[in-house]
Amino acid sequence: MDGWLLLATVCGVAALGNAGVTPQNAALGLCAAVMMASAYSIVDDTISPELEIDSAEKHLDFVEHRHTGCIRDFSLTLAIATGFATYAFEIGLARERSGSIAMSWDLLAVLLGSAKLLSTIIMISRVGSLEASSLPIYAVLGAGILLQSTGYTPFLACIFVLANAMMYTDSAPLFSGQTKSRIFAASKTGWFLAFIVVLFLATSFLTTTQLMHAAPTASSITSLTHKFSPSASLNVSLHPVQQLVHRASEDWETQQSGQSRSLAEAAQEYKSRYGLPPPPLFDRWYEFVKARDVEIIDEYDTIHDLMLPFWALKPALIRERVREAIGFEENTLIAVLIRAGKVKRIIGGQEWQRGALQGMLSSFVHFLPDMDLAFNAHDEPRIILPNDELSIVVSHAKSNITTQSLQSQDLINNFSTRPDDVDDGERIREYKISRFNEYAHQNTWIASRLSCPPQSAARDFSDDRQDEDSAFATGELGFISNQTAFSDVCLSPSFKGSHGFFDRPNAFNVAHELIPIFSESKISSFQDIVYPSLWHWYARRPAATTADMHKTSHYMYNASSDIDWDSKAETMYWRGSTTGGYSSHGGWRRQHRQQIVQKLNAPDTAKVLGHRGTNDSSSWHVYDVPRRAYKDLIDVKFSGVGQCDPGDCDAQNEFFQIRPFTDMQANWQFKHLLDLDGNAFSARFYALLKSKGLVYKMAVFREWHEEWLKPWLHYIPLSLKGTEHLETVRWFAQDEKGREVARALAETKRKWAERALRREDMEVWFFRVLLEYARVVDDGRDHIGFVG
């Protein structure tokens, strides 16, 4: 019975230890298990009181006499069953476990190796003194099997080779001297297996050596023995990027196919989503949409979320706060006064900004009531409320919306007449006080997290809370699976030391009370009202310097300068300046552009994904590679240094390889185009989207188009930590399937940008947000709206 138990144990741990997760490794592990089962079936017979161990001849006769097919058949059956059961078990586990649990599986492998070693020790103790004359052949055999099954991991391979060498050596006396000769003369199996293993090792060595001098691939790099764990709903063999693209495509198709097809459907969808009727003149807005052939009818959740807090304030209070804000000159705002369906007065900002605002309003301003608007002239956002106050505000707002919804049967489809506190717009009343405080070139993290819940990661009192990566990233490399959650400041306390806005923004003029300020972009925790960027709407005139980017083709897409996909270089390209924050006392090391450029060009190692062996149907594993092996894949450099103290400017000029300034049109020579936050949103983003290249974007700032552009379909979202950057580009650029997907995505986003990022599309969104704003500042807002 002890022999049978030992046999079952050995076969079990052998199959478990060598099976792996791929069919190839499972088969190889199964062969090893069968071999060991056969060997141990012989050894089991030798463990007998009447056996004379020191007599090889007697032993051979005894084996020939006693050995039947029973034990050997049992060994084979058990090994096969265990091997396939193990394979099925791990495939199931791989579909369920997260990346963090993969390390536990490696630990299990080590424990199984230890179990092998323990079983060997037990066997040795029962057999007695053993010879080691067959150690070399079995050591080579064990090394071949285990190097393959462990994915060339030196540490684990050494452990397993040692264990297996001892295990195979424990039967050396059985094959020593005359007995060994007779056995190998009768059967060439041992030598044949040895030859196969040596051939395998030689091939592996030559392949590895060749790949070390060529462009590294999955089979040429050092495994970290971690596996990416995909969703159970998708094939385990799909790369995580391919899975994310697949899901994004499905979600987008579902969204687009569900868009309303009539005014009645649009009005009903509005009521279903927001719990109140559409604003007055919603029918005019719908006609405006259809006349401009805009495809997005229902996706304006961002507008509702932005306007919601203002429902808590009385309309007169909102109007007064706007007058106060635009009446204090140093608030750096652009004041727009609408009277009698026209822009009566526009003051503040630069000339191009005023012209762009007037242009964006011109096609629908005649539908708007008399009102005052305050637009942010800075890049950075302006309004953030403390969480306790914001919570109360939102609660009151929802209550007021419910009241308005209950009165939706007798609504007037128009705005009220001009209230008494709104003047004729001939002049802007001057104010001597301001609710805004200026903190330019100072750390803004504490202020920027004020609206986060007290229990959130960003507000943790210990100051060592980790990012809530599970909310927005997937796999060990951290591919962005939820762009909205990634850009949520409350989930990522690491932003305080990795993004320039939180370190030292170039400008920061902020108020902690609810004031309706329209900004081109904002951080998630701020309460600014976003609207389509003036840069994107207006940029059209040539200019000689980057200081005039707002009026140059430098930030526009020139189709005549673009080239076909196949003619582009297989490289990620970016040129830009050190905008993103103001640097002093070495602060540039904590700013996002500098960190990303530094990491992509660092002489260290990075992580990529690959299959073990040559089986493309296996799951993906993480490997460690030298970045220099991919130097031809990355061309990301600074072309200018600014927004810094003299010492910090000098330090950056010395640290980074500053390249000459290049025109925007230089981007079109490359397939992979990088886009990064600057002081706020990126002004080049739309030009990149309209090109024939594939766009990668790292963005913490949010813009108006959140529902109009789909991550992993219209652009590739990147994290700020950068652990997945190289692998994302590598897969799109070097993997056969990745290259196919990259080409398709580049064309998909280009066509969508041509249809959805026109001036007409921006004006439709702008019209919608101003209708919502006009209702919330109307004294009769509970009695106005579109019934349908």
Side-chain angles (χ1 to χ4, degrees):
M1 179 60 68
D2 289 343
W4 282 83
L5 180 61
L6 184 60
L7 172 63
T9 302
V10 170
C11 290
V13 297
L16 282 171
N18 291 286
V21 296
T22 68
Q24 180 185 14
N25 286 344
L28 192 57
L30 184 60
C31 291
V34 172
M35 289 173 57
M36 282 186 282
S38 299
Y40 276 104
S41 67
I42 297 176
V43 174
D44 181 67
D45 286 325
T46 69
I47 305 174
S48 176
E50 68 267 13
L51 179 63
E52 295 290 334
I53 295 297
D54 57 349
S55 174
E57 195 69 26
K58 289 181 179 180
H59 168 66
L60 183 60
D61 292 339
F62 180 81
V63 170
E64 292 174 347
H65 175 73
R66 281 195 56 192
H67 195 275
T68 66
C70 178
I71 293 179
R72 191 176 299 276
D73 290 343
F74 174 81
S75 307
L76 180 61
T77 302
L78 183 62
I80 292 174
T82 307
F84 279 102
T86 303
Y87 177 60
F89 168 76
E90 184 164 347
I91 288 297
L93 184 63
R95 290 177 177 273
E96 298 295 334
R97 66 175 181 255
S98 64
S100 61
I101 304 180
M103 188 175 296
S104 299
W105 185 253
D106 293 333
L107 178 60
L108 177 60
V110 175
L111 292 176
L112 291 173
S114 302
K116 286 185 181 182
L117 184 59
L118 179 60
S119 68
T120 300
I121 295 173
I122 295 174
M123 186 70 70
I124 292 174
S125 67
R126 299 191 63 176
V127 173
S129 177
L130 300 176
E131 299 179 15
S133 58
S134 298
L135 174 61
I137 186 76
Y138 287 103
V140 171
L141 183 61
I145 294 172
L146 291 165
L147 279 173
Q148 171 66 16
S149 64
T150 56
Y152 304 103
T153 308
F155 177 69
L156 291 179
C158 288
I159 293 178
F160 287 133
V161 168
L162 178 60
N164 279 264
M166 293 181 65
M167 182 179 298
Y168 291 122
T169 306
D170 66 1
S171 58
L174 305 180
F175 304 121
S176 60
Q178 184 180 1
T179 303
K180 180 176 65 176
S181 301
R182 289 180 60 182
I183 292 177
F184 277 95
S187 173
K188 306 299 183 183
T189 304
W191 291 108
F192 175 75
L193 290 174
F195 172 77
I196 294 297
V197 170
V198 171
L199 181 62
F200 164 76
L201 290 176
T203 304
S204 300
F205 174 78
L206 292 175
T207 303
T208 303
T209 303
Q210 181 181 8
L211 289 170
M212 287 176 63
H213 297 283
T217 62
S219 59
S220 70
I221 44 189
T222 305
S223 172
L224 297 181
T225 68
H226 291 258
K227 304 166 189 173
F228 175 82
S229 178
S231 168
S233 62
L234 290 174
N235 193 319
V236 69
S237 65
L238 293 181
H239 190 280
V241 167
Q242 188 176 357
Q243 296 181 49
L244 291 166
V245 170
H246 175 77
R247 292 169 186 159
S249 179
E250 286 189 337
D251 292 346
W252 183 255
E253 290 178 6
T254 300
Q255 173 184 297
Q256 292 304 94
S257 63
Q259 294 298 298
S260 298
R261 304 302 177 188
S262 66
L263 174 60
E265 287 184 11
Q268 182 57 46
E269 178 66 18
Y270 186 103
K271 295 175 184 177
S272 299
R273 291 193 183 203
Y274 311 129
L276 75 165
L281 304 184
F282 185 78
D283 51 341
R284 298 293 189 181
W285 173 83
Y286 185 83
E287 293 172 0
F288 190 83
V289 171
K290 302 305 288 185
R292 283 154 180 77
D293 196 26
V294 173
E295 297 191 25
I296 301 294
I297 306 297
D298 302 318
E299 308 309 319
Y300 298 86
D301 294 351
T302 294
I303 295 178
H304 175 75
D305 295 340
L306 295 172
M307 300 307 305
L308 177 60
F310 294 97
W311 279 89
L313 304 183
K314 294 181 179 180
L317 177 58
I318 301 175
R319 297 195 299 267
E320 173 60 24
R321 288 187 177 181
V322 172
R323 284 194 297 271
E324 181 184 298
I326 62 178
F328 191 81
E329 185 176 359
E330 295 178 12
N331 283 340
T332 320
L333 297 170
I334 304 172
V336 176
L337 279 55
I338 298 175
R339 302 292 186 270
K342 297 179 181 179
V343 176
K344 182 66 174 288
R345 185 170 295 276
I346 181 167
I347 298 175
Q350 301 179 43
E351 180 182 356
W352 74 270
Q353 292 175 310
R354 296 192 295 271
L357 271 172
Q358 191 138 9
M360 288 180 69
L361 288 164
S362 62
S363 58
F364 60 84
V365 67
H366 52 283
F367 292 118
L368 300 178
D370 292 358
M371 58 183 179
D372 300 334
L373 303 171
F375 292 88
N376 182 14
H378 284 314
D379 294 331
E380 299 81 356
R382 308 292 294 274
I383 306 296
I384 183 168
L385 273 65
N387 177 262
D388 55 351
E389 182 177 343
L390 181 61
S391 299
I392 295 173
V393 164
V394 170
S395 177
H396 279 275
K398 291 180 177 179
S399 177
N400 289 340
I401 284 178
T402 301
T403 300
Q404 203 270 359
S405 179
L406 294 174
Q407 302 177 9
S408 61
Q409 298 304 315
D410 300 316
L411 299 179
I412 301 173
N413 188 30
N414 209 339
F415 296 101
S416 304
T417 58
R418 189 173 76 197
D420 294 338
D421 60 339
V422 176
D423 59 26
D424 58 8
E426 292 295 335
R427 57 184 296 273
I428 294 178
R429 186 188 311 171
E430 185 178 355
Y431 283 75
K432 300 296 185 181
I433 59 172
S434 175
R435 299 174 190 264
F436 291 87
N437 294 288
E438 188 171 359
Y439 301 104
H441 302 177
Q442 298 183 51
N443 187 282
T444 65
W445 175 249
I446 298 300
S448 297
R449 67 178 189 173
L450 279 178
S451 67
C452 296
Q455 68 274 18
S456 66
R459 292 279 300 277
D460 188 76
F461 67 90
S462 65
D463 206 31
D464 60 359
R465 181 89 166 264
Q466 298 300 307
D467 293 352
E468 302 288 345
D469 292 341
S470 60
F472 55 80
T474 185
E476 184 184 342
L477 297 191
F479 297 97
I480 299 300
S481 57
N482 188 322
Q483 172 64 24
T484 302
F486 162 70
S487 61
D488 188 341
V489 171
C490 303
L491 299 177
S492 296
S494 67
F495 285 171
K496 66 182 176 183
S498 59
H499 197 286
F501 174 78
F502 306 110
D503 182 62
R504 285 186 178 90
N506 196 49
F508 193 63
N509 197 345
V510 65
H512 298 304
E513 296 181 80
L514 195 57
I515 306 171
I517 303 298
F518 289 85
S519 295
E520 294 166 296
S521 66
K522 76 181 192 74
I523 296 294
S524 67
S525 54
F526 283 69
Q527 283 71 59
D528 299 55
I529 304 170
V530 297
Y531 73 102
S533 168
L534 301 177
W535 294 69
H536 293 147
W537 189 91
Y538 190 69
R540 58 185 176 182
R541 290 189 296 162
T545 68
T546 55
D548 295 320
M549 287 187 290
H550 54 273
K551 48 186 177 180
T552 176
S553 60
H554 172 80
Y555 271 85
M556 288 181 62
Y557 173 63
N558 187 347
S560 64
S561 299
D562 206 347
I563 59 178
D564 292 335
W565 174 265
D566 291 333
S567 300
K568 296 176 182 288
E570 199 76 75
T571 302
M572 170 179 271
Y573 179 82
W574 182 85
R575 290 291 185 273
S577 62
T578 57
T579 57
Y582 187 88
S583 179
S584 63
H585 304 290
W588 57 274
R589 298 182 182 275
R590 299 184 296 274
Q591 297 179 4
H592 53 285
R593 284 192 170 187
Q594 289 88 335
Q595 289 198 0
I596 290 177
V597 172
Q598 186 274 331
K599 181 166 291 188
L600 287 174
N601 292 281
D604 60 1
T605 60
K607 296 178 181 179
V608 299
L609 297 179
H611 295 291
R612 285 185 176 175
T614 59
N615 193 332
D616 290 341
S617 65
S618 64
S619 58
W620 291 82
H621 297 251
V622 177
Y623 296 84
D624 202 20
V625 299
R627 286 188 183 273
R628 63 179 178 274
Y630 294 89
K631 60 182 178 64
D632 293 336
L633 197 59
I634 304 295
D635 187 4
V636 175
K637 300 289 191 300
F638 282 119
S639 58
V641 174
Q643 295 184 184
C644 44
D645 287 345
D648 278 37
C649 288
D650 292 341
Q652 292 180 83
N653 275 301
E654 183 177 349
F655 184 83
F656 295 105
Q657 299 176 349
I658 308 300
R659 294 291 189 266
F661 169 80
T662 58
D663 187 84
M664 184 67 183
Q665 309 310 313
N667 284 270
W668 319 144
Q669 303 301 309
F670 304 90
K671 290 182 179 179
H672 308 277
L673 305 174
L674 179 61
D675 189 44
L676 303 172
D677 278 349
N679 288 333
F681 70 96
S682 169
R684 74 181 75 184
F685 185 38
Y686 287 9
L688 298 179
L689 290 176
K690 293 175 182 178
S691 76
K692 297 177 182 178
L694 182 63
V695 178
Y696 303 73
K697 184 174 182 62
M698 194 296 295
V700 173
F701 279 89
R702 296 178 177 179
E703 300 179 63
W704 70 275
H705 53 235
E706 295 299 312
E707 294 104 352
W708 287 40
L709 296 176
K710 187 71 174 178
W712 294 109
L713 183 63
H714 301 130
Y715 66 93
I716 308 305
L718 297 179
S719 73
L720 187 47
K721 293 179 180 177
T723 51
E724 88 292 8
H725 289 183
L726 181 60
E727 170 57 15
T728 305
V729 183
R730 185 209 65 79
W731 187 76
F732 279 123
Q734 296 184 349
D735 185 273
E736 181 178 357
K737 184 62 178 179
R739 288 193 291 268
E740 294 178 11
V741 175
R743 175 195 291 270
L745 290 180
E747 183 64 12
T748 296
K749 62 86 183 166
R750 184 186 68 83
K751 290 182 176 179
W752 178 247
E754 290 177 349
R755 296 199 305 270
L757 298 180
R758 306 165 301 163
R759 283 188 171 185
E760 293 87 346
D761 301 288
M762 298 182 216
E763 291 165 4
V764 161
W765 207 92
F766 198 25
F767 188 3
R768 174 75 171 258
V769 74
L770 289 180
L771 282 182
E772 298 283 6
Y773 176 77
R775 173 167 63 175
V776 84
V777 299
D778 195 307
D779 288 329
R781 65 187 183 188
D782 291 341
H783 307 285
I784 61 176
F786 179 76
V787 177

